Amino acid sequence: MKKLLIAAVVASLSATTLLAANDAFAQNGSTAAKKATAKKPAPKHRLIKRKPTKSVAKTDPVPEGSVLWSCNEGASFDLKGDMKRDQIVTVHWANKNYNLPREATTTGADRFHDAATGLDLVVIPTKAMLFSDHDGSRLADECKTAAMQQGEPAPTQSNALKSGS
């Protein structure tokens, strides 16, 4: 009988231990489930917005006081500065402003060239031409101001020297 009593006690302790273990496991599992649901969901979008890969081309305003030069094939550019005396002129071409420094020439033509951008403006008494050094193309040809279209020569240094002497 002692054996039967010992077996019953062991069985009851085993069952109690088993039930306690199941309850403990269920509580740990439910707290883990609560912890999982208590966490904030991962954001669907970035918090730091990046600029789009396609950038909108920057448009510079036409410089105030500039003169319009109309060219062949409907092209045109605006020029700000006095070609007779200024060492740097501003050319507004393709919605962008370019500061072009004067380059010395032996031909009498006025040349304004910026090596960084590759833009090259050459003005002779009858017309102006705009070139791109990067691909060697002529961007605009036969460019004239309204005064030049009326028969006046281009406002170049060489023309200023002729009229001043």
Side-chain angles (χ1 to χ4, degrees):
M1 176 105 163
K2 284 185 175 184
K3 287 184 181 179
L4 188 59
L5 185 60
I6 292 174
V9 170
V10 169
S12 122
L13 285 175
S14 297
T16 307
T17 307
L18 184 61
L19 287 175
N22 282 338
D23 288 342
F25 182 72
Q27 287 178 353
N28 286 342
S30 67
T31 56
K34 286 180 184 175
K35 286 181 184 177
T37 57
K39 288 183 183 178
K40 292 182 181 177
K44 294 181 181 178
H45 302 285
R46 293 179 181 248
L47 296 177
I48 301 172
K49 293 184 179 179
R50 293 186 181 176
K51 291 182 180 177
T53 54
K54 288 185 178 180
S55 61
V56 177
K58 180 182 172 189
T59 302
D60 291 335
V62 176
E64 191 174 320
S66 61
V67 175
L68 177 68
W69 291 67
S70 300
C71 311
N72 279 357
E73 300 178 9
S76 66
F77 64 88
D78 293 283
L79 181 98
K80 180 179 181 184
D82 186 354
M83 286 192 295
K84 297 174 190 171
R85 59 179 168 84
D86 289 348
Q87 293 303 308
I88 296 176
V89 295
T90 302
V91 173
H92 182 80
W93 169 257
N95 294 325
K96 195 166 182 194
N97 291 332
Y98 298 92
N99 292 325
L100 305 178
R102 180 182 296 278
E103 294 228 343
T105 64
T106 57
T107 62
D110 282 0
R111 181 176 183 213
F112 298 91
H113 178 252
D114 182 21
T117 60
L119 205 64
D120 192 5
L121 175 66
V122 178
V123 183
I124 59 175
T126 57
K127 67 178 182 176
M129 297 155 285
L130 195 61
F131 297 94
S132 172
D133 282 353
H134 293 302
D135 57 1
S137 65
R138 186 177 295 199
L139 303 172
D141 192 17
E142 297 287 333
C143 302
K144 297 180 180 183
T145 64
M148 290 173 67
Q149 291 173 357
Q150 301 300 321
E152 291 186 28
T156 61
Q157 270 188 345
S158 61
N159 287 340
L161 293 173
K162 285 179 188 176
S163 63
S165 50

